Amino acid sequence: MSIADIRKDYQRAALSERDVAADPIMQFTTWFDEAVTAEVLEVNAMCLATATPDAYPSARMVLLKGVDQRGFVFYTDYRSRKGRELADNPCASLCFFWPELERQVRINGAVQRVSRTESDEYFQSRPLPSRVGAWTSSQSSVLASREVLESQLAENEQRFASGTVPLPEHWGGFRVVPEEIEFWQGRSSRLHDRIQFRKEAGQWVRRRLSP
């Protein structure tokens, strides 16, 4: 079978305006909970797209670690490629895909760092190896070999053998403050349902988009 011949006809569900909450964060939470119930693999995995100031894009998968009316939160090394690009161009897109439910959610918005207090609270909730790892890896920098990384890890395991690991200055959270949120439900014959929320004058405006 050629790549061009791979296709799936979506027939699981529909999405009408009367089914969607007036608040897109509430709608996202509903869909997220349903994805958890459906045992979607890596349910909080999302594609994060950033861009340089001259509009050169890059995308990668990261994990959602919080969502509320303020926005969508993930954590990273601020020195990483995404960290540097967000510092220079604080806008991003997120995309969730839950194939078991034939659903997708797309989010566009401005990006801001979360507070150090919030970052530290999350950091201290992480398993010890993950906290030590944050001190070990200089994310996105060139690494001479795997052995160099493992040597640095061994040093840090000794350094933090007590289990007390402070939050690194170079590590913390970003919050994507949504300006657009689109809910996509797969439908037959590629005539998908797309309901978009867009912030206009401080209020969410809902509209249907053509598939």
Side-chain angles (χ1 to χ4, degrees), residues 85-142:
E85 289 183 353
L86 288 171
D88 293 336
N89 183 10
C91 299
S93 291
L94 304 174
C95 184
F96 294 85
F97 181 51
W98 298 316
E100 292 86 344
L101 298 177
E102 300 175 353
R103 287 174 175 172
Q104 180 177 229
V105 182
R106 299 170 61 201
I107 299 149
N108 296 325
V111 179
Q112 56 189 219
R113 288 192 182 190
V114 307
S115 69
R116 293 299 290 172
T117 298
E118 191 172 350
S119 289
D120 186 56
E121 182 178 347
Y122 171 72
F123 184 78
Q124 299 305 332
S125 75
R126 304 177 89 207
L128 178 60
S130 296
R131 284 179 281 148
V132 174
W135 280 92
T136 300
S137 171
S138 179
Q139 196 175 87
S140 300
S141 65
V142 175

Side-chain angles (χ1 to χ4, degrees), residues 17 106 180 182 192-197 207-211:
E17 286 80 351
R106 299 170 61 201
E180 287 183 357
E182 180 191 317
H192 312 302
D193 288 325
R194 298 174 62 190
I195 304 296
Q196 182 199 68
F197 288 81
R207 57 185 64 126
R208 175 176 287 270
L209 302 181
S210 174

Side-chain angles (χ1 to χ4, degrees), residues 1-8:
M1 179 183 293
S2 72
I3 293 176
D5 290 331
I6 299 173
R7 57 178 53 85
K8 176 178 173 59

Side-chain angles (χ1 to χ4, degrees), residues 47-68:
C47 180
L48 165 69
T50 58
T52 61
D54 56 355
Y56 191 90
S58 59
R60 77 289 287 159
M61 302 302 294
V62 298
L63 297 177
L64 177 71
K65 289 300 179 179
V67 58
D68 55 28

